[in-house]
Amino acid sequence: MAAIHVLVVFLSCISTVVRCEGDEDDAYAQEILNSAQKEKDWLVSVRRKIHQHPELAFQEHNTSALIRSELDKLGIPYTYPVAKTGVVAQIGSGSSPIIAIRADIDALPLQELVEWEYKSKIDGRMHACGHDAHATMLLGAAKLLNQRRDKLKGTVRLIFQPAEEGAKGASQMIKEGVLQDVEAIFALHIDAMTSTGAIASIAGPFTAAGCIFEAKIVGVGGHAALPHMTVDPVLATSFAILALQQLVSREIDPLHSQVLSITYVKGENALNVIPSYVKFGGTLRSQTTESMYHFRQRLKEVIEGQASVHRCKAYVAFMEKDHTPYPAVVNDKDLHRHVDRVGRLLLGPDNVHEAKKVMAGEDFAFYQEVIPGTLFSIGIRNEKVGSVHSPHSPFFFLDEEVLSIGAALHTAVAELYLSEHSI
């Protein structure tokens, strides 16, 4: 009986400890979420200002000025310019551990087709990928972290990065030293397939490595009524395009995702003339950076081989100077688990999902080539407000409820990581 009594007392003590820890976690989550919610009107205002004045890669001067203005109001020190238009702020003790949170700030060359009061004021430009929201959520985190700076057991570096959309802004930021002494980096990206109030994360490969290419097949043009007097580049191009599709189906492990898409073919306009050359191009994507480079080499060999079979010459270019191949985003397992735990704490277990791998590219991968990092998705899907369209759509529309949620997540991810890794 005495042994049973001791066991009951022991289990009661454990229950009390667990309940206390749970209560503390709940109180912390509610505190962060409440603080973020109080800033909702400000967050919406900032996001709409950015949305109305979209700027393309390395041209984000007004966006950068707005970010710096808000940081000035908060009294947060920052470095500018970094990578032409980027801003890097810092909050905390200045000592280790140092972590970074990144938000991209550039827009797309796309005409907004959503009619609403705060639509883009610049024809042919639009924040159709949510970077205006990303920048706003990081500013929100800056405000919350600054309010809680006495609780930070280390340093948080906030990276407002230009030129994510195909212009390797991350690579330039790294060259200018933004990762110095940083041990981990986090970022989020809006997701129109996940409901507002939820996140999705995954360890390992997440987004694809990718590059673009352009090919020119040169033959001998002539009258279409005399094909035997020509060397037809149209025929060679047709065979090359068909042969390229066999690379995925016959040379790639079917368990590894690969995509090769031809996005344009261009010859001459006359209907009765066989052209002297044909240009075509597109993009290829792969689940891993290594297989992307192998894929790229085989693409070149196939195009040149098919051209030769049809007595033509081929020239293949990958235009790396202006279009650097993007590596794959591969999420660090430990950092993924950290995001998963924080998400469950703030949003509840039912609102934390396993992300699906995507074949889009993301230059966050450049940071991950230097230090461990994780990129996770934050949901914006809300049929009631029309937030259902995928990024890069002219009908893309954001559920602005996500802004305070993202700010809270950034804050908790940073604060709890520093608490767990402080010496």
Side-chain angles (χ1 to χ4, degrees), residues 307-379:
S308 179
V309 165
H310 293 89
R311 301 179 296 144
C312 294
K313 293 183 179 180
Y315 304 90
V316 181
F318 296 99
M319 299 169 285
E320 291 194 17
K321 183 177 180 180
D322 296 319
H323 301 278
T324 300
Y326 275 21
V329 167
V330 181
N331 284 337
D332 179 83
K333 292 181 180 179
D334 291 336
L335 299 184
H336 155 72
R337 282 194 287 266
H338 176 69
V339 168
D340 187 85
R341 287 196 303 270
V342 173
R344 291 173 184 274
L345 174 64
L346 260 65
L347 307 176
D350 292 341
N351 288 316
V352 178
H353 309 300
E354 182 175 344
K356 295 180 180 179
K357 297 174 184 178
V358 295
M359 298 308 290
E362 232 292 351
D363 81 347
F364 184 76
F366 287 110
Y367 298 110
Q368 293 177 315
E369 290 188 319
V370 181
I371 61 172
T374 194
L375 172 72
F376 63 98
S377 298
I378 185 166

Side-chain angles (χ1 to χ4, degrees), residues 69-380:
S69 174
E70 295 299 333
L71 292 172
D72 285 335
K73 293 174 187 176
L74 296 170
I76 297 173
Y78 58 83
T79 300
Y80 170 84
V82 185
K84 298 182 181 179
T85 51
V87 180
V88 179
Q90 195 153 290
I91 303 172
S93 65
S95 60
S96 296
I98 302 174
I99 66 162
I101 310 174
R102 171 272 211 165
D104 35 19
I105 65 174
D106 56 324
L108 286 161
L110 194 67
Q111 181 66 40
E112 183 167 11
L113 298 181
V114 182
E115 294 299 329
W116 67 303
E117 185 178 355
Y118 299 98
K119 71 176 293 187
S120 171
K121 291 185 176 181
I122 304 175
D123 287 342
R125 296 182 191 176
M126 177 188 177
H127 270 291
C129 201
H131 296 187
D132 52 345
H134 299 168
T136 301
M137 288 186 276
L138 191 54
L139 275 173
K143 194 169 191 176
L144 298 182
L145 288 166
N146 197 46
Q147 294 169 358
R148 305 173 63 83
R149 59 186 178 277
D150 293 340
K151 301 178 184 293
L152 297 179
K153 298 179 180 180
T155 308
V156 184
R157 190 168 295 167
L158 309 176
I159 300 174
F160 295 89
Q161 177 210 305
E164 189 279 327
E165 294 289 353
K168 56 182 180 182
S171 182
Q172 187 62 41
M173 296 288 277
I174 293 167
K175 289 178 182 178
E176 298 192 24
V178 301
L179 295 184
Q180 183 176 355
D181 300 324
V182 176
E183 66 178 54
I185 186 167
F186 299 89
L188 56 74
H189 199 293
I190 54 87
D191 177 10
M193 299 304 293
T194 299
S195 297
T196 304
I199 64 169
S201 181
I202 190 172
F206 183 21
T207 75
C211 70
I212 65 170
F213 69 92
E214 184 174 81
K216 182 178 182 180
I217 294 184
V218 180
V220 177
H223 201 291
L226 303 169
H228 60 291
M229 302 293 291
T230 71
V231 178
D232 190 351
V234 176
L235 187 64
T237 298
S238 300
F239 272 87
I241 291 173
L242 290 173
L244 287 174
Q245 300 307 314
Q246 305 308 310
L247 289 177
V248 174
S249 66
R250 284 296 171 266
E251 295 190 21
I252 303 300
D253 185 338
L255 298 179
H256 293 173
S257 300
Q258 311 274 353
V259 171
L260 192 158
S261 294
I262 307 300
T263 56
Y264 83 92
V265 179
K266 183 179 181 181
E268 296 174 358
N269 295 325
L271 298 178
N272 61 346
V273 176
I274 292 173
S276 59
Y277 69 89
V278 174
K279 287 184 177 181
F280 66 97
T283 181
L284 58 90
R285 313 291 175 98
S286 179
Q287 194 176 80
T288 68
T289 305
E290 295 77 12
S291 59
M292 184 268 289
Y293 278 104
H294 172 75
F295 200 3
R296 197 171 76 155
Q297 178 60 32
R298 285 295 293 131
L299 175 140
K300 185 174 185 292
E301 292 170 356
V302 166
I303 293 173
E304 291 175 345
Q306 288 296 328
S308 179
V309 165
H310 293 89
R311 301 179 296 144
C312 294
K313 293 183 179 180
Y315 304 90
V316 181
F318 296 99
M319 299 169 285
E320 291 194 17
K321 183 177 180 180
D322 296 319
H323 301 278
T324 300
Y326 275 21
V329 167
V330 181
N331 284 337
D332 179 83
K333 292 181 180 179
D334 291 336
L335 299 184
H336 155 72
R337 282 194 287 266
H338 176 69
V339 168
D340 187 85
R341 287 196 303 270
V342 173
R344 291 173 184 274
L345 174 64
L346 260 65
L347 307 176
D350 292 341
N351 288 316
V352 178
H353 309 300
E354 182 175 344
K356 295 180 180 179
K357 297 174 184 178
V358 295
M359 298 308 290
E362 232 292 351
D363 81 347
F364 184 76
F366 287 110
Y367 298 110
Q368 293 177 315
E369 290 188 319
V370 181
I371 61 172
T374 194
L375 172 72
F376 63 98
S377 298
I378 185 166
I380 62 165

Side-chain angles (χ1 to χ4, degrees), residues 362-420:
E362 232 292 351
D363 81 347
F364 184 76
F366 287 110
Y367 298 110
Q368 293 177 315
E369 290 188 319
V370 181
I371 61 172
T374 194
L375 172 72
F376 63 98
S377 298
I378 185 166
I380 62 165
R381 189 171 188 84
N382 183 344
E383 288 83 356
K384 292 181 180 179
V385 300
S387 184
V388 297
H389 296 282
S390 65
H392 293 227
S393 164
F395 296 101
F396 177 83
F397 192 74
L398 184 89
D399 179 6
E400 293 177 323
E401 292 294 328
V402 75
L403 299 174
S404 57
I405 299 170
L409 281 166
H410 276 323
T411 303
V413 163
E415 185 175 328
L416 293 178
Y417 180 95
L418 295 179
S419 295
E420 294 168 7

